[in-house]
Amino acid sequence: MRLTRIGGPTVLAEFDGWRVLIDPTFDPPGRRYAFAASTSSVKTLGPAIPADELGPIDVMLVSHDHHADNLDDAGRAMLPSAGHVVTTTSGARRLALPHTHGLDIGQTVRLEADDRPALEITATPARHGPTLLKPIVGDVIGFAVRRAGESRVALWVSGDTVPHPALRTAAAEMDVDVAIVNAGGVRFGLTGPVRFTMTGAEAVSLLDVLAPRVAVAAHYDGWSHFRDGEEGVRAAVRAAPQAVRERVRWLPDGVPVDL
């Protein structure tokens, strides 16, 4: 598998002839975006690769469509050109594109092509903050991507999530090759100590349960709402058990890395 870090949550994964783009965000930095309940964040870093230099994309995985740090204007403009878009059921209704597949947690879609093995993509548990705030924060999913007919997960994407029992149960049950885990510890001034994504320490704890062959951190920089950030993730990895440390790979910006 080849991964290219583009910025924020956006990673290009290439394997078995498939080109899969995760949470496309390609707007330039500097703009403030509004989120739910009067919260907002400024994008501080632009994409390492412009959208028009990526080439054709077979699948775009959109963990949720309603926050600009996971799907911004330039990323949204790319959706019609993808072969498939996979997102939440509610997101598919909002996007209203004919090639969009909406999934609830636990549901699977099979994607086929004449010249490559079929893929099965299953929505995995994600919760973008405390349970009581779900009506405000909205639906989010992760993705388990398998070669059709195989039980092993070739690629798992956590999506934006905090730790919760369903996530840990799913992590314990999956056999994962490559995991992309969103961290950064998102908090807002208006919501005080409440977090909306995992800290580095929480991501490390999850990886200890998941035990993938390779783990990659994502979505920990490039926005003003990260409180743990890159240093928090790196510090947590340095303090992690050796079995976790040996699995983590840090991707350079814009450079394809073969795993």
Side-chain angles (χ1 to χ4, degrees):
M1 183 178 297
R2 172 175 291 179
L3 297 184
T4 307
R5 169 181 151 89
I6 294 169
T10 310
V11 178
L12 175 65
E14 301 173 87
F15 59 100
D16 292 351
W18 291 91
R19 305 185 81 241
V20 179
L21 187 65
I22 301 160
D23 282 343
T25 55
F26 289 88
D27 284 359
R31 176 177 163 191
R32 179 175 290 277
Y33 296 78
F35 296 138
S38 299
T39 59
S40 65
S41 183
V42 175
K43 187 171 186 178
T44 59
L45 294 173
I49 302 174
D52 58 8
E53 294 183 9
L54 275 187
I57 301 298
D58 300 303
V59 185
M60 291 192 189
L61 303 179
V62 180
S63 62
H64 56 302
D65 68 302
H66 50 282
H67 293 159
D69 61 326
N70 291 82
L71 182 66
D72 59 18
D73 292 344
R76 192 177 295 269
M78 296 175 65
L79 297 180
S81 67
H84 302 272
V85 176
V86 184
T87 189
T88 62
T89 298
S90 58
R93 288 195 297 266
R94 286 187 291 267
L95 293 175
L97 297 170
H99 61 310
T100 298
H101 309 271
L103 300 178
D104 291 325
I105 292 169
Q107 291 184 329
T108 298
V109 62
R110 180 185 173 105
L111 305 181
E112 297 186 350
D114 293 336
D115 58 345
R116 69 203 77 164
L119 293 182
E120 293 176 348
I121 302 175
T122 301
T124 61
R127 198 181 77 200
H128 204 356
T131 302
L132 292 177
L133 293 183
K134 184 178 178 181
I136 297 173
V137 176
D139 295 331
V140 183
I141 55 174
F143 302 97
V145 183
R146 296 176 173 88
R147 298 172 178 91
E150 294 188 4
S151 60
R152 185 174 181 84
V153 176
L155 175 67
W156 180 62
V157 182
S158 71
D160 280 8
T161 185
V162 294
H164 61 287
L167 177 63
R168 291 184 66 86
T169 298
E173 293 176 348
M174 287 188 293
D175 180 13
V176 175
D177 190 12
V178 177
I180 299 177
V181 179
N182 290 1
V186 167
R187 287 193 293 122
F188 299 95
L190 286 174
T191 52
V194 175
R195 284 197 301 273
F196 296 89
T197 64
M198 289 184 283
T199 63
E202 290 166 339
V204 162
S205 178
L206 182 66
L207 289 173
D208 197 28
V209 175
L210 184 68
R213 184 178 69 84
V214 177
V216 173
H219 209 18
Y220 51 76
D221 65 355
W223 289 82
S224 63
H225 57 7
F226 291 120
R227 295 296 183 266
D228 199 40
E230 179 175 356
E231 182 49 41
V233 179
R234 288 186 178 273
V237 171
R238 289 193 297 269
Q242 183 177 353
V244 174
R245 294 198 310 272
E246 291 176 344
R247 293 184 170 98
V248 175
R249 293 283 300 274
W250 294 96
L251 301 182
D253 292 344
V255 179
V257 175
D258 292 323
L259 303 177

